[in-house]
Amino acid sequence: MALRALDNALPIAPDKPKKLSKVTIPTHKEKQQPDCGVNDENKAPLPPPSTADACIDYIPSENLKAFPDPDIQIQGLVGGLESKDWLKVCESLNDLRRFALFHSTLLLPILEKVMLVIVKAIKNPRSALCKTSIMASSDIFPAFGEKLLDSGSFDHLLLQLLLKASQDKKFVCEEADRALKAMVEFITPLALLDKLRSYVSHSNLRIRSKAATFISICLSKMDLDGMEEFGLVELIQTAANLLNDKLPEAREAARSIITSLYKALTENEEQKEESWQSFCHSNLPAIHAQAMMKLISS
């Protein structure tokens, strides 16, 4: 059999050229970024990046000290509090706390400005600044007490403290609770009840329950004369509404309010339950009055 001529062989398809991977060569303007995943034994390891919040010292009040030269230091306080550098503001808030604790008379001429700064800082989304400002508010309550009620910023401060005490961020929430307790301790109950009364009907459930809690604390410190001056009817009606609140904290505060009212109203009464029943039926719907009787008898 004759061999086929070579030029009659089937054509061989040429191999397709392989695609070359693109290699990006950085220009002289681009900076080469080091590979963080490679451990270069010739270089010392870089420390982990630190946040600015780690630089903030949350100094307890008992660790703060008086200024050796307060008359000079007070001159730069407002400027520091109004600084655009939040770290400087935190530092100045700690100075403010020292003035409140040891040199409070020097703060009186600028108290309104101080209150405005504290409220603004509490609203700040930066947690470190927020907490430091709340700590400052805790220290101005014992220093000035009811004088703070004359400030146009007090209502704003109270609302912000109730808001922060109601949030989920634990370390801010706990600090706001401490500030509210200082407020209740150093401001007379009757004056504070006038400020808190509007918040027990607030649309925010948590604010409502916090306000109810501190109303109950105020009431536990009052005698019958003080309760009558505020308004016994308003107090019992407030407690009746809070008994049906969605949050258990508000319901617990309502029970505390009712207990304080019962003790004050019946202290000098021989027929305590009859006197209480008469008061409740005179000022509440029948179903609410029955709830009051049941709570006291339980």
Side-chain angles (χ1 to χ4, degrees), residues 24-285:
T24 303
I25 300 175
T27 64
H28 66 282
K29 293 182 180 180
E30 295 175 343
K31 293 182 179 180
Q32 297 270 3
Q33 297 294 328
D35 187 355
C36 297
V38 177
N39 183 17
D40 189 343
E41 61 183 9
N42 295 317
K43 293 182 180 179
L46 294 174
S50 60
T51 60
D53 286 11
C55 301
I56 301 300
D57 290 329
Y58 301 116
I59 308 170
S61 300
E62 57 269 20
N63 292 346
L64 292 170
K65 297 180 180 179
F67 285 107
D69 50 356
D71 293 318
I72 296 175
Q73 293 290 332
I74 194 69
Q75 296 174 15
L77 181 63
V78 173
L81 291 171
E82 294 177 345
S83 172
K84 293 183 179 180
D85 181 352
W86 71 271
L87 288 171
K88 177 64 176 176
V89 176
C90 283
E91 180 185 340
S92 299
L93 283 167
N94 281 327
D95 288 344
L96 165 61
R97 297 172 62 204
R98 295 169 68 185
F99 277 110
L101 291 171
F102 303 106
H103 320 284
S104 58
T105 53
L106 294 176
L107 282 180
L108 273 174
I110 58 171
L111 189 56
E112 184 60 36
K113 288 183 179 180
V114 164
M115 293 282 284
L116 286 170
V117 170
I118 290 176
V119 172
K120 181 180 178 181
I122 292 176
K123 291 179 180 179
N124 195 288
R126 190 179 291 277
S127 297
L129 183 54
C130 177
K131 178 172 177 174
T132 306
S133 58
I134 294 173
M135 294 175 77
S137 70
S138 295
D139 289 328
I140 66 171
F141 285 126
F144 297 105
E146 289 184 43
K147 292 178 182 178
L148 295 172
L149 299 176
D150 298 330
S151 168
S153 301
F154 181 83
D155 289 334
H156 299 291
L157 175 61
L158 176 56
L159 175 58
Q160 289 305 314
L161 290 176
L162 289 170
L163 277 169
K164 298 305 178 183
S166 306
Q167 67 170 232
D168 296 325
K169 197 172 289 185
K170 186 177 179 181
F171 81 108
V172 172
C173 176
E174 290 176 345
E175 201 60 56
D177 258 327
R178 278 191 283 270
L180 288 167
K181 288 174 182 175
M183 176 187 70
V184 171
E185 183 177 355
F186 292 100
I187 297 179
T188 57
L190 184 59
L192 203 51
L193 280 177
D194 284 328
K195 296 293 184 179
L196 287 166
R197 70 199 309 171
S198 61
Y199 294 106
V200 288
S201 56
H202 200 279
S203 57
N204 185 314
L205 294 177
R206 292 186 176 185
I207 289 179
R208 191 162 68 229
S209 67
K210 283 293 177 184
T213 296
F214 288 99
I215 283 178
S216 71
I217 295 173
C218 287
L219 214 60
S220 68
K221 299 166 65 176
M222 296 174 70
D223 57 16
L224 181 58
D225 290 339
M227 294 179 188
E228 287 178 336
E229 188 174 349
F230 178 79
L232 289 171
V233 175
E234 180 177 348
L235 286 170
I236 194 66
Q237 290 175 348
T238 296
N241 291 331
L242 289 171
L243 271 180
N244 298 314
D245 199 272
K246 293 181 180 180
L247 293 183
E249 187 179 7
R251 298 196 297 271
E252 181 61 32
R255 286 189 283 270
S256 176
I257 291 170
I258 293 164
T259 300
S260 296
L261 283 171
Y262 174 78
K263 288 179 179 178
L265 280 166
T266 62
E267 183 178 8
N268 299 318
E269 298 288 337
E270 293 184 2
Q271 304 295 326
K272 296 183 183 299
E273 289 192 10
E274 288 78 359
S275 177
W276 176 248
Q277 183 177 18
S278 174
F279 173 74
C280 291
H281 279 285
S282 300
N283 298 292
L284 294 171

